[in-house]
Amino acid sequence: MSIAPCDVQGERDETLAGLAIQPEGADAAPPTLDVVIPVFNEEADLETAVRRLHAHLAAGFPYRFRITVADNASTDGTLRVARRVAAELSDVAVVHLDEKGRGRALHRAWSSSDAAVLAYMDVDLSTDLAGLLPLVAPLISGHSDLAIGTRLAASARVVRGPRREVISRCYNLLLRSLLRVRFTDAQCGFKAIRADIAARLLPWVRDSGWFFDTELLVLAERAGLRIHEVPVDWIDDPDSSVDIVATALGDLRGIVRMARQMATGAVPLARLRRELGRSSPDGELSPSLRGQAVRFIAIGAASTIAYLAIYLVLRLVAPAQLANLVALLLTAVANTAANRRLTFGVRGPERAGRHQLQGLVVFGVGLALTSGSLFLLHALTRSDRLAELAVLIAANATATAVRFLLFRTWVFRPGRTSPSATSRLEEIGS
């Protein structure tokens, strides 16, 4: 897949020229903002949400707008309701897809829109609509390329249960640990992007479900784009139909896939940056370090799956701290051996015992992080197994980043290995 070069500044100037407030009656003019509401079986709540959003925009939004309901394979009366409301309200459109997937719905609606700025929000309208203009204003002015609502800023006001709070914070910690992102809230259903930027990034976004947001943001950040964050007021919808377990597993698979793509150069980020006129983000991995990182992440993902499986089995007969200790110890030994051979190219019995002892020291760091996280979780809230798993996954991700650093700079430092091992290490990293 290739992306043709373009005159970015000329394209931006042309786009911004169309952002002036259009006079009433100029129906043929494209809207400045297109707000997409992706829905699946939302017959009961859709009409109220669309009418409320339309009234808010009509009363105070200073630019032409459109609301697009993106129905992705609903099996109830959602499509019928959407079409009826669109017939009654101006500036409301409907897009129907035969396949399910929130990411697929957003991809289709955004790709076919003629608006200069594209946004989306969840149908439950959990985010206060007063945040919409601050969200899109930096995109309309040209100051930023993407904008996201964040529930994790100090000034955000959020009402939700401890379970969702823990899971959300753990997921974003996982992203910062494994993908080294700087944005704070990947999952808030309140985002916007410039249409010219979306045209460049969407062809490279593979996920069609809930990980779509995260993948788009990671690609944007790696491409050197500006991401504006807006603290929001947010009230949890207790009747949300989102399957948290399935979503969490899908997100984990997406993180592993993206880490692999970033390490192997599957996405031409350097070319994207050149075409967009952006500089490289700080802290980009060198080619040799990328090679080590992708092997380490693959081994870490396998170790995490094995760790969680062992933990869940032991948790049936043992308390959380003991199950965590045994599961972490067993996987730490296997993890050290696998990284010794595959990631850092050290083979043979020489120093194998020492490496395992040093690996156990690194294991102690991981144990401190996971045990401490469990202790805090149990001290602060009454948690269930899902919350425990979310905390442990995030703590393990942090421990994984620390483990890689210690393995590379201490346990398997090239100067501590034999000359033959060092040459093999250099060959693997090149």
Side-chain angles (χ1 to χ4, degrees):
M1 185 178 296
S2 62
I3 298 177
C6 68
D7 182 351
V8 176
Q9 185 59 51
E11 182 175 299
R12 169 171 291 186
D13 291 343
E14 181 180 350
T15 302
L16 289 177
L19 295 184
I21 301 177
Q22 302 294 332
E24 293 186 8
D27 295 333
T32 297
L33 174 68
D34 194 346
V35 182
V36 177
I37 303 179
V39 290
F40 173 75
N41 288 353
E42 297 288 354
E43 177 183 13
D45 300 326
L46 177 60
E47 180 170 359
T48 300
V50 173
R51 290 187 181 278
R52 179 181 162 198
L53 175 59
H54 187 276
H56 174 82
L57 291 171
F61 193 72
Y63 301 96
R64 288 185 58 84
F65 66 86
R66 179 193 299 127
I67 300 170
T68 300
V69 179
D71 172 51
N72 48 310
S74 292
T75 57
D76 63 358
T78 296
L79 181 59
R80 173 179 51 80
V81 172
R83 286 172 173 168
R84 176 170 55 79
V85 174
E88 296 176 9
L89 294 178
S90 61
D91 305 313
V92 175
V94 180
V95 174
H96 175 69
L97 292 83
D98 293 327
E99 294 180 274
K100 186 180 176 182
R102 185 184 70 161
R104 179 179 288 110
L106 287 172
H107 197 296
R108 171 76 66 82
W110 281 357
S111 297
S112 60
S113 178
D114 59 350
V117 174
L118 311 168
Y120 97 88
M121 60 181 61
D122 293 333
V123 69
D124 57 18
L125 300 186
S126 294
T127 307
D128 189 340
L129 294 178
L132 183 57
L133 183 57
L135 182 81
V136 301
L139 309 187
I140 294 174
S141 69
H143 175 271
S144 299
D145 303 298
L146 294 89
I148 64 175
T150 175
R151 298 160 296 184
L152 303 181
S155 56
R157 291 183 289 183
V158 178
V159 178
R160 62 177 166 183
R163 181 190 185 199
R164 284 183 175 268
E165 180 76 16
V166 168
I167 291 174
S168 177
R169 290 187 178 275
C170 287
Y171 178 70
N172 286 283
L173 176 60
L174 189 66
L175 288 177
R176 289 195 291 274
S177 301
L178 291 184
L179 297 180
R180 300 176 300 113
V181 302
R182 293 187 294 273
F183 52 83
T184 61
D185 192 351
Q187 295 176 307
C188 182
F190 198 67
K191 296 183 175 70
I193 184 171
R194 293 174 55 87
D196 55 328
I197 298 298
R200 297 291 177 183
L201 294 184
L202 288 179
W204 299 102
V205 179
R206 292 176 49 188
D207 191 83
S208 61
W210 291 93
F211 190 70
F212 173 90
D213 301 48
T214 301
E215 185 167 7
L216 180 68
L217 288 172
V218 172
L219 289 176
E221 191 171 88
R222 289 290 188 275
L225 299 175
R226 283 186 173 185
I227 300 176
H228 177 70
E229 297 198 0
V230 178
V232 296
D233 296 343
W234 194 87
I235 300 177
D236 187 23
D237 177 13
D239 298 323
S240 174
S241 60
V242 176
D243 186 334
I244 297 179
V245 175
T247 301
L249 292 176
D251 288 344
L252 287 175
R253 288 192 296 269
I255 289 172
V256 172
R257 173 176 59 79
M258 286 216 72
R260 183 173 65 249
Q261 289 178 323
M262 295 299 105
T264 59
V267 179
L269 293 174
R271 191 173 74 196
L272 274 175
R273 286 193 290 267
R274 287 195 302 271
E275 292 173 355
L276 292 167
R278 308 306 162 89
S279 59
S280 299
D282 295 334
E284 189 166 25
L285 297 179
S286 65
S288 61
L289 183 54
R290 279 204 305 265
Q292 289 183 348
V294 70
R295 289 185 287 273
F296 183 84
I297 289 172
I299 294 170
S303 298
T304 299
I305 293 171
Y307 162 83
L308 292 174
I310 295 171
Y311 174 84
L312 288 174
V313 171
L314 293 176
R315 193 67 176 87
L316 298 175
V317 296
Q321 293 288 7
L322 179 59
N324 174 60
L325 171 63
V326 175
L328 199 59
L329 180 59
L330 292 175
T331 53
V333 173
N335 182 279
T336 299
N339 277 300
R340 182 178 190 269
R341 179 179 179 84
L342 301 176
T343 302
F344 298 98
V346 181
R347 296 177 173 85
E350 183 182 359
R351 298 166 91 66
R354 175 168 181 163
H355 289 157
Q356 280 293 350
L357 288 175
Q358 290 173 310
L360 289 177
V361 174
V362 178
F363 152 79
V365 175
L367 178 63
L369 286 170
T370 54
S371 295
S373 299
L374 279 176
F375 175 79
L376 288 175
L377 174 67
H378 293 153
L380 296 176
T381 181
R382 295 181 61 184
S383 59
D384 54 17
R385 297 290 169 81
L386 181 59
E388 284 184 0
L389 284 179
V391 168
L392 287 173
I393 289 171
N396 265 287
T398 304
T400 296
V402 174
R403 187 183 304 123
F404 180 67
L405 179 63
L406 291 176
F407 275 177
R408 196 170 196 272
T409 61
W410 178 48
V411 181
F412 301 116
R413 194 174 68 195
R416 292 182 176 232
T417 62
S418 64
S420 60
T422 302
S423 63
R424 284 194 297 271
L425 174 62
E426 293 172 347
E427 180 182 349
I428 291 173
S430 62

